[in-house]
Amino acid sequence: MYDIVITGGAGYIGSHTALLLLDKGYNVHIIDSLINGFYESIRSIQNIHKNKKLENKLFFYKCDLRNKELLRKVLKSIQKNGSNNIDALIHFAGLKSVNQSINEPIKYWNNNVLGSVNLFEIMSEFNCENIIFSSSATVYGDNNFRKIKESDELRPINPYGFTKLAVENCLNNIFHSPLNNWGVIVLRYFNPAGAHPSGLIGENYKGKPSNLFPFICQVAEGTLEKITVFGNDWETLDGTCVRDYIHIMDLAEGHLSAIEYLLKNEKQFLTINLGTSEGVSVLNFIYQFQETNNVRIRYEFGDRREGDSAFSVADSSKALKILGWRAKRTLSDICKDGWKRQKMIAKL
Ligand code: NAD
């Protein structure tokens, strides 16, 4: 069976993807510094799989990608623990807060870009030349309220987006180098939310969360009095930002389709949006959460937040055409599964 390395696999998207890959029989090797991830997520994956033997299927290596020496040792161990060949790597590890990146750009360039370049260097040493990279809708420029296609202009408006674009460009240079033979799929995610339907894994965070959904959950459980909606004067129907919220399990399935494609087809460089193609305003998300879970969410309007845009919705037709993937779950599923997870953590 194939050996897949997942950087950042103790984090939100990585842990859900690892779970699906294990379901499909892949051997999974997780590398994570735990700067924002949790070892408990690895234990929860083992719990969900408790009837299946994960010995020699799931491995964890604590390592920061910026520590090249350690990373080299880790890849050596992965070769030893697996079948001597690393078939593909999914690169989730990175910092992801737009707001924090505006205040601490050096930290973002250091972690996201330096960490990635180190990783690619060590991957080359080990002839590991198949990669899926977690990029983001933040690489796109102004979209004039149209659904975003992969071919649209790339013009980030915050440091986080710039670091994602820099890593995309680095991978593109590697792909075009005559000395390399890499297969690259860049996945540009829109807004992942929700949790595994068991509630055993979901979005964990250290410090303040950066996405809307965890804030909604905190208000629902009573640890936060109300949510601040950043701006009600955007040029949208109800004045709040419109986003493309995708269920975390749909997103994880998108990675599964991408891995299958990468392993079966000739080497290429692809960029693919993963979203639902449905726009939902922040207010409508809050209303849906209230309706699905029968809880009240108090909110207030605040100022617009630097680095935000009015409208960010994917055109996901390329994912369907190339990977045969489309998001299947609804906004209500996101609200139901995410709230179940939150109640399990809070033991409500
Ligand atoms: P997350 O913070 O939950 O997971 C990221 C993981 O990477 C964490 O476990 C963290 O400990 C690890 N990590 C960070 N820097 C590292 C380093 N230098 N070395 C080793 N491990 C490191 O985030 P997530 O939501 O799972 O996001 C995964 C990826 O997807 C990120 O690259 C993020 O930028 C991208 N992305 C996320 C979203 C989103 O809304 N969640 C949207 C678009 C793109």
Side-chain angles (χ1 to χ4, degrees):
M1 195 17 104
Y2 293 112
D3 284 281
I4 311 291
V5 176
I6 300 189
T7 74
Y12 178 40
I13 310 173
S15 56
H16 289 78
T17 304
L19 186 70
L20 278 195
L21 289 174
L22 289 163
D23 279 345
K24 291 281 170 189
Y26 291 92
N27 300 330
V28 172
H29 303 264
I30 291 177
I31 303 176
D32 201 301
S33 66
L34 300 182
I35 184 174
N36 283 328
F38 293 80
Y39 188 70
E40 289 74 54
S41 303
I42 314 287
R43 278 213 206 95
S44 301
I45 293 174
Q46 287 163 335
N47 279 341
I48 295 172
H49 275 266
K50 61 178 175 290
N51 296 326
K52 297 182 199 154
K53 251 183 120 193
L54 283 188
E55 210 183 313
N56 299 326
K57 301 278 323 158
L58 174 63
F59 300 88
F60 176 74
Y61 312 83
K62 184 166 186 281
C63 172
D64 191 304
L65 300 183
R66 289 165 299 175
N67 183 342
K68 247 203 262 186
E69 276 314 303
L70 184 58
L71 189 56
R72 191 173 281 119
K73 282 189 190 146
V74 165
L75 261 69
K76 257 190 205 140
S77 311
I78 292 177
Q79 277 190 330
K80 231 190 299 147
N81 292 333
S83 42
N84 204 32
N85 188 31
I86 299 171
D87 296 289
L89 181 146
I90 312 182
H91 179 27
F92 291 104
L95 303 176
K96 63 170 179 181
S97 160
V98 167
N99 223 17
Q100 191 188 27
S101 79
I102 293 169
N103 296 323
E104 299 177 78
I106 299 173
K107 189 172 178 175
Y108 272 66
W109 280 88
N110 185 298
N111 193 79
N112 292 2
V113 180
L114 198 62
S116 297
V117 174
N118 279 346
L119 173 69
F120 304 155
E121 205 177 319
I122 307 292
M123 282 172 70
S124 273
E125 287 179 18
F126 285 80
N127 294 321
C128 168
E129 295 180 329
N130 280 323
I131 184 165
I132 292 174
F133 171 57
S134 298
S135 191
S136 157
T138 53
V139 296
Y140 292 112
D142 192 9
N143 48 56
N144 280 326
F145 297 90
R146 279 182 300 104
K147 289 185 185 171
I148 301 170
K149 283 184 188 301
E150 291 80 355
S151 53
D152 283 357
E153 189 187 11
L154 302 176
R155 197 156 41 82
I157 56 170
N158 54 61
Y160 167 66
F162 277 110
T163 65
K164 286 288 166 192
L165 187 54
V167 178
E168 284 195 15
N169 285 337
C170 177
L171 284 169
N172 194 286
N173 290 167
I174 296 172
F175 174 76
H176 284 104
S177 143
L179 301 178
N180 289 298
N181 183 30
W182 283 45
V184 181
I185 302 184
V186 169
L187 296 177
R188 295 184 181 141
Y189 317 146
F190 281 67
N191 290 70
H196 187 267
S198 68
L200 290 171
I201 51 172
E203 183 166 12
N204 299 322
Y205 42 86
K206 295 184 179 171
K208 232 175 149 189
S210 52
N211 294 334
L212 172 69
F213 193 73
F215 282 112
I216 295 183
C217 287
Q218 285 184 5
V219 177
E221 75 178 13
T223 47
L224 191 69
E225 191 198 342
K226 57 189 167 200
I227 185 168
T228 304
V229 176
F230 298 113
N232 60 346
D233 57 351
W234 296 93
E235 299 79 22
T236 57
L237 276 182
D238 63 19
T240 66
C241 291
V242 170
R243 294 287 177 270
D244 182 336
Y245 296 99
I246 171 169
H247 194 293
I248 187 67
M249 294 312 295
D250 279 328
L251 192 64
E253 284 171 8
H255 289 79
L256 199 60
S257 305
I259 276 286
E260 283 164 2
Y261 186 90
L262 192 64
L263 295 174
K264 279 190 199 133
N265 290 279
E266 64 179 30
K267 304 273 185 168
Q268 44 196 303
F269 182 94
L270 284 172
T271 47
I272 297 183
N273 287 341
L274 292 184
T276 64
S277 300
E278 297 286 336
V280 175
S281 74
V282 173
L283 276 187
N284 278 331
F285 197 151
I286 292 173
Y287 297 153
Q288 182 67 63
F289 190 94
Q290 297 187 136
E291 191 186 312
T292 302
N293 296 316
N294 200 21
V295 282
R296 175 145 185 262
I297 305 297
R298 292 191 63 206
Y299 62 86
E300 65 181 1
F301 292 116
D303 292 339
R304 288 184 182 192
R305 207 171 38 166
E306 195 186 342
D308 266 350
S309 60
F311 181 92
S312 176
V313 178
D315 175 330
S316 296
S317 49
K318 190 171 172 188
L320 182 60
K321 192 166 160 222
I322 295 184
L323 304 179
W325 170 92
R326 70 147 60 99
K328 298 193 286 272
R329 296 159 180 89
T330 62
L331 192 63
S332 180
D333 294 330
I334 292 178
C335 295
K336 175 170 59 71
D337 296 336
W339 180 226
K340 178 174 179 183
R341 159 83 186 158
Q342 191 68 27
K343 283 192 292 188
M344 280 175 75
I345 303 174
K347 302 218 175 6
L348 289 180

